[in-house]
Amino acid sequence: MTTFSSLLPPPIISNYLWRAYLLRFVMLLISITVVLQILDLLTDSEDILSVEGSTYASILRYIELRFPQLLSEFVPFTALLAAILTYTTLNQGSEIVVMKAAGLSAYQVIAPLVVVSAGIGLVHFIFNEAVVTRATAELRHWQKNGYALDAPPAPDGVTQTWVLDGTNLVEVASVARSGRMLVVDDVTVYVRNGEGRLQGVTKADFATYQDGGWTMFDVRHFDIATQLVGTEAKTTWDTGIAPERFLALAVIPEQVSFGSLVTAMAELEREGYPMRSLSASLNHKIASPMATLLMPLLAALAAFGVVRGGQLFIRIAMAMAFGFSYFIIDNLMLAMGQFGRIPPELAAWAPFFLFLGAGLLVVVYTED
């Protein structure tokens, strides 16, 4: 019976392979991220420093929030480059030839890199949940406020939201929680009759939910039948909308953790809202870090092609094209899933399993 340990080469070779791969991965990831951060700063530094009172401390804050995003975005791509570089170096020194002559299979040569990639994928997922989501939310909120030094803290949700309240439509600009109070900003209620005809509009600068009830502030009422406008400084908002409903609708997948997204989806599902877009993003939160597992397989063209083809550069180019095609198809499928064109599970996982099968076919061809 084949065990997992039988797929690994002897410990001395296994340690040599995973250390070579991991070292190149770390060096490439830091180098690529630093270069991209510098290019990013060249684009945005003028806007940041143009704000009154801004200093180089603002630049440092921007780096603090932007660097985790860049680091996370390029982990799978860096794993692909590191695997290709590792295989190429081994090939140029005929080390893979020696390993295969010693009785190692292609699977055993690739296995240490796959194991390391699994660890990288796990760390990538944890890093996204603990750091990247928070940094993304803060950075987008800061950018929305024009990099202002006195910008308020980022709210729980900052996206425009529509809610159906009976026959009425409710629009809010943003949602924020402060302790036990929920605040929704720039509220517009389109009052409709049972036939869906508009009867009036109620606007409020903001509304709060506290102690089981809603209150509107700086309210304006417009009645279509009488063409009259009324104002109130403060009034009770008679609505059955639960506060959790606003928070769920205001969720932005890139800015919340996996658990928060699951909670929001459960709330929206109870309300009868379609889950395709959020479900695709939820599945992609797992599928994206797992893409790192594929990179040693997709790069295998550069590992074993020299003996058969004798053209290393062409093999490297083919391996890179193979890897790039994964990222293109993955983004395309995710967009289609978010727009409801294909099932969300298929959108998130089809590229992974498609390229997993293609990578295994490359290894099988190598073994034949």
Side-chain angles (χ1 to χ4, degrees), residues 15-191:
N15 292 340
Y16 174 70
L17 290 173
W18 74 255
R19 285 178 181 175
Y21 171 59
L22 185 60
L23 177 62
R24 287 169 174 80
F25 172 81
V26 173
M27 292 177 62
L28 283 172
L29 182 61
I30 294 174
S31 302
I32 291 172
T33 308
V34 168
V35 170
L36 290 173
Q37 181 68 84
I38 293 172
L39 295 175
D40 191 61
L41 276 177
L42 292 176
T43 303
D44 294 337
S45 58
E46 184 176 353
D47 294 334
I48 298 171
L49 293 175
S50 65
V51 177
E52 183 178 357
S54 292
T55 63
Y56 284 101
S58 299
I59 296 292
L60 293 177
R61 184 192 176 196
Y62 179 83
I63 294 174
E64 177 188 356
L65 299 177
R66 181 62 173 147
F67 195 81
Q69 289 183 340
L70 295 174
L71 202 67
S72 175
E73 289 172 6
F74 286 90
V75 166
F77 173 71
T78 305
L80 174 67
L81 293 182
I84 292 175
L85 184 58
T86 301
Y87 291 147
T88 302
T89 304
L90 293 173
N91 239 332
Q92 287 179 324
S94 299
E95 294 174 88
I96 289 181
V97 175
V98 173
M99 292 178 190
K100 298 196 74 174
L104 297 184
S105 67
Y107 300 101
Q108 289 177 304
V109 175
I110 295 173
L113 277 66
V114 173
V115 172
V116 173
S117 294
I120 292 173
L122 178 61
V123 173
H124 185 197
F125 177 79
I126 296 173
F127 180 71
N128 282 342
E129 294 296 291
V131 179
V132 177
T133 53
R134 176 193 59 80
T136 301
E138 289 189 20
L139 180 58
R140 290 185 179 178
H141 178 69
W142 192 29
Q143 289 173 332
K144 185 178 179 180
N145 286 273
Y147 300 110
L149 296 179
D150 57 350
D156 292 336
V158 292
T159 185
Q160 186 182 39
T161 302
W162 289 85
V163 180
L164 186 63
D165 181 22
T167 59
N168 300 337
L169 283 175
V170 181
E171 178 188 9
V172 299
S174 64
V175 184
R177 185 187 291 276
S178 177
R180 300 173 65 181
M181 178 187 292
L182 185 74
V183 181
V184 291
D185 187 46
D186 195 9
V187 183
T188 304
V189 181
Y190 298 91
V191 182

Side-chain angles (χ1 to χ4, degrees), residues 322-343:
F322 202 17
F324 275 121
S325 61
Y326 168 80
F327 298 115
I328 294 172
I329 294 176
D330 182 55
N331 288 329
L332 177 62
M333 294 289 284
L334 177 61
M336 292 177 66
Q338 290 176 335
F339 282 101
R341 300 301 182 186
I342 58 177

Side-chain angles (χ1 to χ4, degrees), residues 197-213:
R197 296 181 179 274
L198 187 65
Q199 294 183 313
V201 179
T202 299
K203 293 182 68 69
D205 284 355
F206 63 95
T208 62
Y209 181 87
Q210 192 173 26
D211 299 328

